[in-house]
Amino acid sequence: MNKKRVAINMTAQLLAFGVNMLLGFILVPIIESMIPNAYGFTDIANKFVSAAQIIVSALNTMASRFITIRIHRNEQQEAEEYFSSVFFANVLMAVVFMFPALFVVMYIGKIFQIPEAASLMDIQMLFFFIFLNFLISIITSVFSVASYSKDRLELSSISTILGELTRLAVLSVCYLCFKPYLFYVGCASVCSTVIQAVANLTFTRRLLPDMKIRIRDFRWSKIWELVSLGAWNSVTRLGQLLLDGLNTSIANIMVSSAAMTTISISTQIPEVISNLMGTIAGVFNPQMTIAYAKEDKEQLLEIIASADRIMIFIISIPIAFLTVFGKTFFGLWVGKTQDPKELYILALLNVGTLFVSASIQVLYHVFLITKKVKVNSMVIVGSGVLTVATVFVLLETTDLGMYAIVGISMVYGILRNLIFTPLYAAHCLKVKWYTFYGDILMGLVSIGLICLVVLPFELFINIDGWLKLFGVGIVAGILALLVNFFVVLRKGERQMVLEKVRSKLVKH
């Protein structure tokens, strides 16, 4: 494993993630205060996009794998045919999706409850821009393959940062200089995606100068090869959408628009943690794909082991902090417009699955590179169907309301990641069945110990402002790092860290 490349990619990806997280952190309370009970519509619009991506992913999920493997096996003509075929197929899909998108925009007022504080035209414009953003991202998605195939993810991070800074600039101008509308969020996303697309196109020309888009290289056979395998990834996306992607829509239709917004806000921090988890796992995906392409199983297992430990070392801290400081955080963040206790309970239910899945997130890429996606897809969609069915039953027979909508997703998510995922990944890699359970246990121990260490700060300090919260967070964060230093890192890794610290101190 190229540790230097991992470090560079990790730093860049985390920086891009931090910019995105900060923007969301600032944006939610501002919009909620200006347009009460309306922010949830941005989540619903994105869930429509997620539903459309189920179809798109049948083609695009496998594109990076096939193109990367062809490049590293020096099969240039094959790589170019995949590249051109994916591009033109995406253009065709964008044209097809344009028509149902326009239908949803026109009739959105008949589909959902629109709160009094928001205007129908504003919601329609929001959906229009978010759908437009989706169509642009489909057409330009193939250009992100270049940084992936060359294991240069820091370049994709640069494009993300440029896009997020553009989004921040557009939103700042709109909300500071004009009357507040929700559709500014969608408009800013379009500007961000265009900037990212231009950056990725530039990186493609630099990293893959011989890769050209030519209509003569389009092959229906390549499309069919990608879709026939990628269709199971679409099934996976459908299952994930059923598991937790419909929460806000169900809340709007069966409870109220206020419940929709409450659930949407409560998911913000769990989604940040989940996205961070995906960001870290994604850093290892190119090297896993390359190791598989070279048929180096020992190297592949080493990458997975390192990825799991790094994931636990980083992700256990925000999970533990949300568990301990969550109620205080929500009180400071949106306490004037929402019930902090309610948000805290819903956030814990949203993050519950991550207690198990955080330490084995990288295993999902094993299914993709080994082309063993069928069984995983069936399990996820099955648990998704059970989730939706159980939620409807509980909403009709109990008064659990929002807690039923969010809690059931957690229950099925934990069961799937505890029983199926580690066992099937071990089967795909032909290793012992219990290989990955040690990582799950390590993750739970890490989270539990950090909670115990930082809990006194919550119990004995009156955290009544952001400065106190940040101050406590810094001290508690140092203690959490020390816990993971001894619990997660192996002896050799601890010695390496200490040596680097000593070398830095000596230089100064």
Side-chain angles (χ1 to χ4, degrees), residues 485-503:
F485 180 80
F486 290 103
V487 173
V488 178
L489 298 185
R490 290 169 287 197
K491 182 178 179 180
E493 293 166 340
R494 290 197 294 269
Q495 290 176 343
M496 181 179 67
V497 171
L498 290 174
E499 287 173 3
K500 288 190 175 182
V501 172
R502 289 194 195 101
S503 66

Side-chain angles (χ1 to χ4, degrees), residues 113-129:
Q113 304 175 46
I114 307 297
E116 295 181 2
S119 72
L120 176 60
M121 179 63 72
D122 186 20
I123 302 300
Q124 287 178 315
M125 291 291 290
L126 169 70
F127 274 69
F128 171 79
F129 279 114

Side-chain angles (χ1 to χ4, degrees), residues 94-109:
V95 173
V96 172
F97 276 121
M98 181 175 63
F99 297 101
L102 291 174
F103 176 84
V104 172
V105 169
M106 292 175 60
Y107 293 98
I108 193 68

Side-chain angles (χ1 to χ4, degrees), residues 1-10 287:
M1 183 176 69
N2 188 334
K3 293 183 179 180
K4 181 179 179 181
R5 175 54 54 193
V6 168
I8 294 172
N9 289 342
M10 181 79 71
Q287 292 198 23

